[in-house]
Amino acid sequence: MADNISIAEAQMPQVCHMCEENADIKFKCLDCAFLLCPRCRKLHEKVRTKYVHQIIDLKDKRVISKDSKSNRVYPIRCEFHADENYIMCCQECQQLVCATCILTMHQKHEMGDMTIILSSKVTKLKQYQETIDTTILPNISRNYARYDDLMEFHTKRVDIAKTGILDWKNYLINTVTKLLDKQAEKFCEQIDKNIDEIKQNILPQLSELDDMKRHIKEVRSEIELVTNSHDLTQMINLEKSMESSLKKVNAQKKKERTNYFEFTQSELKIPKLGDLTLKAVFELQCTQSIETGLSCIDKMASYKHGELLVRNLELKNVCLLKTVHDKIIELQKWNIEVKDITALQTGEIIVILVDKPDLRLLPNKQHETIQVIRDCADIFFDTAPQIPTALHTTRENNVIISTVETGRDWLPMDDPCKVEIIVITAKSDIISRFIFDKDLFCFPNKITSIGTDICIADSISDYSGRLITLDNNGKVKWTYGDNETNSVIIADMVSTPLYNIVLLDSCQSVLRVLNSKGAFLNTWNLRDFNVTDAYAMTVSMDEQILIGCGQTGTNLHILEFRE
């Protein structure tokens, strides 16, 4: 039956797929699914492809493909030759071609079947479509929400700042007014008191002088009468009285010096309202706490979107987890003890094994024994004779490694140590290597990066440490916690897209935030987020801070940050 159908289809009126003119169809290419006229058959055989053209006579029932109709591509006009349709795909140029294109512009090029090429393109585009739906659009929506939230935050801060300014202005006005009113009242009281004292001093003297003046006038009148009377006795008595009066007049003196208040206006100075300073935005809030089912999370590394690598040192294993809503799914587990772990953007997982002078790639398949992994894991980079202590993947997909001299794990940390900081590419090519021969570091155990700068947590002892930042030439740029009064124990640290550094101090149960110059920004108490026994920290692909804890139960916390 199938053969009959194929013969019927072959006998239907059609034109040659090559010249699209001749209806005398005699042959078919099984590899290209082309129907050919006798003239185009020879031409088609010369078209280069990775296949050997299997051209058969349509009279041969055995070789006609029953799927030729379903594999047929709808005609598409050539953009260079308007009278012809595309018939094949040039493998070298990766573009569709017509018969004239093959003869003129693509001679000796290898050709491929249009249906296969188009199918691969459709598959690729569908993959892009899936990536858009699962990754790109969610990321855009997430970033939009973040910027919208940031805009709302700044709008609120503007209102808070303006309200604060007006409230403070009114407060100052009221305070200054009250102060001036009180001062004016005090001044007036002092002036009134002074005039009262002056009155008490001067008024009695005025009264006494009035009496004296009146008495002297009486004496004068009497002198005139006595002198006119020529009475010697009255003259003698009046003379004595006059001498007594003159003594009283001469005895009249000012009792004390008087002073007066003179008001002088103060120099007019505009009161200082305050200062405006730009403050870096960095806010934190815990948005989710998850019960993972793990007994401990003491090392973390971000993997793909929604996926996370964690280490459980107690059980000596590494797990690949995926967050689905409020639940954790374990995708994979490696039974191996590692010192540190990171992942490249291409998905390769790099670990530091205990006492191994190299970095290793974890295999894709799970293994049951530690020995199998130690023996079969590929070496990613050899650090011998130095022993690696920590590693970090940068946003540029480079890897930074810190190493110490052999046996350093058994020496006191407070002694300087020979340290090498190595920066390599994702293909393990060395970009830079900085050697510090017992002149800077004691024991580097954490690494992160801000741009081209390298931030290294250096443990001085079990109870003290510091953060050392190197520039791209290996020179110390700045340090934090470099003295006894400002020491910091760094259990883990991460950098944010805007180059803020978040330090996890598990002993104090706090997060400290520094800017790219090492200036302190803020401190958050993890207990305020209901986070206890925090051991590890990482930044997820969607820019959230993940904190792992050394306990069972709710031991994975997701913190949103605004910066």
Side-chain angles (χ1 to χ4, degrees):
M1 178 67 71
D3 292 340
N4 292 335
I5 294 173
S6 299
I7 293 172
E9 289 177 353
Q11 291 175 347
M12 292 175 64
Q14 298 187 64
V15 294
C16 174
H17 286 170
M18 286 285 287
C19 65
E20 296 183 335
E21 295 176 355
N22 197 337
D24 185 16
I25 305 300
K26 299 292 186 181
F27 305 96
K28 179 177 181 180
C29 177
L30 295 181
D31 294 299
C32 304
F34 274 21
L35 298 177
L36 304 167
C37 66
R39 180 172 62 85
C40 290
R41 176 192 174 187
K42 293 183 179 181
L43 174 63
H44 190 73
E45 285 180 333
K46 295 179 180 180
V47 175
R48 292 181 58 203
T49 69
K50 60 182 178 180
Y51 309 107
V52 175
H53 291 288
Q54 299 182 58
I55 300 176
I56 51 90
D57 194 319
L58 287 177
K59 295 178 181 179
D60 190 347
K61 301 178 182 179
R62 296 170 299 174
V63 293
I64 298 177
S65 172
K66 65 180 180 180
D67 297 325
S68 61
K69 185 175 181 180
S70 61
N71 291 334
R72 191 175 301 152
V73 179
Y74 290 105
I76 306 173
R77 286 293 180 185
C78 176
E79 67 174 305
F80 300 107
H81 309 98
D83 295 334
E84 299 192 42
N85 292 337
Y86 291 127
I87 58 173
M88 304 197 79
C89 179
C90 178
Q91 299 280 41
E92 295 185 28
C93 303
Q94 282 294 299
Q95 66 183 59
L96 298 177
V97 293
C98 68
T100 305
C101 290
I102 295 172
L103 295 174
T104 57
M105 297 183 288
H106 300 271
Q107 289 183 359
K108 298 182 181 181
H109 289 187
E110 184 175 326
M111 299 295 156
D113 187 355
M114 268 180 59
T115 58
I116 298 175
I117 299 297
L118 289 176
S119 177
S120 68
K121 296 300 181 186
V122 168
T123 301
K124 188 70 174 178
L125 290 175
K126 285 188 177 297
Q127 290 176 350
Y128 282 131
Q129 187 180 40
E130 183 181 359
T131 301
I132 289 171
D133 292 339
T134 60
T135 303
I136 297 176
L137 283 178
N139 282 347
I140 291 175
S141 298
R142 191 180 297 109
N143 288 332
Y144 183 90
R146 284 191 170 186
Y147 282 113
D148 187 56
D149 174 70
L150 189 62
M151 195 67 236
E152 183 180 356
F153 169 81
H154 280 290
T155 302
K156 288 181 179 179
R157 295 304 302 183
V158 166
D159 293 338
I160 291 172
K162 286 185 176 180
T163 301
I165 289 171
L166 295 177
D167 289 346
W168 183 243
K169 183 198 77 171
N170 292 332
Y171 171 78
L172 288 179
I173 290 173
N174 293 333
T175 301
V176 171
T177 300
K178 289 179 181 179
L179 180 65
L180 293 178
D181 287 344
K182 188 174 181 179
Q183 194 172 37
E185 183 179 355
K186 183 179 179 180
F187 282 174
C188 290
E189 287 177 356
Q190 289 179 306
I191 292 172
D192 289 341
K193 182 179 179 182
N194 181 63
I195 195 63
D196 288 342
E197 292 175 351
I198 290 173
K199 285 179 180 180
Q200 291 177 5
N201 179 32
I202 293 178
L203 290 179
Q205 294 185 62
L206 289 175
S207 179
E208 184 178 351
L209 288 172
D210 279 342
D211 294 341
M212 189 176 295
K213 181 178 179 181
R214 188 169 49 255
H215 175 69
I216 291 299
K217 284 184 177 180
E218 291 176 351
V219 170
R220 186 179 181 286
S221 298
E222 190 175 354
I223 289 174
E224 186 175 355
L225 292 173
V226 169
T227 52
N228 291 331
S229 67
H230 302 290
D231 187 337
L232 183 59
T233 301
Q234 288 183 350
M235 289 182 181
I236 293 171
N237 291 333
L238 184 58
E239 183 180 1
K240 291 179 180 180
S241 177
M242 190 62 198
E243 288 176 357
S244 176
S245 296
L246 288 176
K247 286 181 179 180
K248 289 181 179 180
V249 170
N250 293 332
Q252 179 69 28
K253 292 183 179 178
K254 191 175 182 179
K255 292 184 177 179
E256 63 179 82
R257 181 181 298 277
T258 58
N259 298 299
Y260 69 96
F261 282 112
E262 182 179 57
F263 175 69
T264 304
Q265 295 177 348
S266 66
E267 183 180 351
L268 182 61
K269 292 183 179 180
I270 303 299
K272 187 176 181 180
L273 191 65
D275 293 297
L276 276 180
T277 54
L278 285 173
K279 186 177 179 181
V281 176
F282 199 93
E283 302 290 333
L284 269 178
Q285 62 175 343
C286 185
T287 58
Q288 194 175 8
S289 296
I290 304 174
E291 187 173 342
T292 65
L294 303 176
S295 61
C296 176
I297 298 176
D298 54 18
K299 187 76 69 175
M300 305 172 69
S302 180
Y303 196 54
K304 297 177 182 178
H305 287 279
E307 297 181 9
L308 177 68
L309 288 162
V310 300
R311 181 193 76 173
N312 186 332
L313 186 59
E314 180 183 1
L315 299 180
K316 297 181 180 179
N317 62 37
V318 174
C319 296
L320 177 61
L321 308 178
K322 183 177 180 65
T323 305
V324 179
H325 302 300
D326 295 337
K327 296 182 179 180
I328 289 291
I329 299 174
E330 184 179 296
L331 301 178
Q332 205 164 344
K333 180 188 290 184
W334 295 268
N335 295 312
I336 185 170
E337 183 178 1
V338 302
K339 290 197 294 187
D340 206 353
I341 183 170
T342 191
L344 297 175
Q345 294 172 10
T346 47
E348 293 91 342
I349 300 171
I350 308 172
V351 297
I352 299 175
L353 301 181
V354 177
D355 297 329
K356 289 287 185 180
D358 52 48
L359 309 183
R360 304 223 173 178
L361 292 173
L362 277 188
N364 292 328
K365 296 181 179 180
Q366 302 185 51
H367 298 274
E368 295 182 355
T369 64
I370 295 176
Q371 191 60 41
V372 172
I373 296 178
R374 292 174 68 91
D375 292 342
C376 74
D378 294 334
I379 294 178
F380 179 72
F381 185 79
D382 191 353
T383 63
Q386 295 279 107
I387 303 296
T389 60
L391 66 163
H392 164 72
T393 301
T394 69
R395 295 179 184 273
E396 294 74 29
N397 205 34
N398 295 323
V399 179
I400 307 175
I401 314 159
S402 64
T403 69
V404 296
E405 53 193 309
T406 305
R408 179 60 184 179
D409 290 347
W410 309 105
L411 296 174
M413 287 184 185
D414 52 2
D415 289 336
C417 172
K418 180 180 179 180
V419 170
E420 289 187 10
I421 306 298
I422 310 168
V423 184
I424 61 177
T425 66
K427 295 183 178 180
S428 69
D429 297 324
I430 295 178
I431 298 175
S432 55
R433 185 194 295 264
F434 308 121
I435 301 175
F436 303 90
D437 194 5
K438 299 183 180 182
D439 56 355
L440 182 61
F441 293 101
C442 290
F443 191 84
N445 61 351
K446 300 291 175 186
I447 304 174
T448 191
S449 60
I450 45 176
T452 58
D453 294 341
I454 305 172
C455 300
I456 303 164
D458 185 38
S459 292
I460 300 173
S461 70
D462 290 336
Y463 306 101
S464 63
R466 57 185 178 169
L467 178 63
I468 299 176
T469 300
L470 308 176
D471 62 19
N472 57 0
N473 294 315
K475 303 298 182 183
V476 176
K477 200 168 184 179
W478 54 265
T479 61
Y480 177 79
D482 199 25
N483 54 62
E484 293 181 359
T485 59
N486 191 22
S487 183
V488 58
I489 302 174
I490 304 173
D492 214 337
M493 61 181 179
V494 296
S495 64
T496 68
L498 296 185
Y499 298 163
N500 291 314
I501 305 170
V502 184
L503 307 178
L504 169 59
D505 187 337
S506 57
C507 293
Q508 300 293 327
S509 192
V510 297
L511 294 178
R512 293 186 175 91
V513 181
L514 313 176
N515 66 13
S516 60
K517 297 180 180 179
F520 174 78
L521 295 182
N522 210 339
T523 298
W524 280 270
N525 194 320
L526 289 174
R527 295 183 183 89
D528 295 337
F529 301 137
N530 294 319
V531 177
T532 56
D533 297 329
Y535 280 0
M537 184 168 56
T538 190
V539 172
S540 65
M541 292 293 181
D542 54 357
E543 305 297 353
Q544 294 175 314
I545 294 179
L546 306 180
I547 296 181
C549 302
Q551 62 182 17
T552 56
T554 305
N555 55 9
L556 179 62
H557 304 272
I558 301 176
L559 275 60
E560 291 276 3
F561 60 87
R562 182 196 292 123
E563 65 178 356

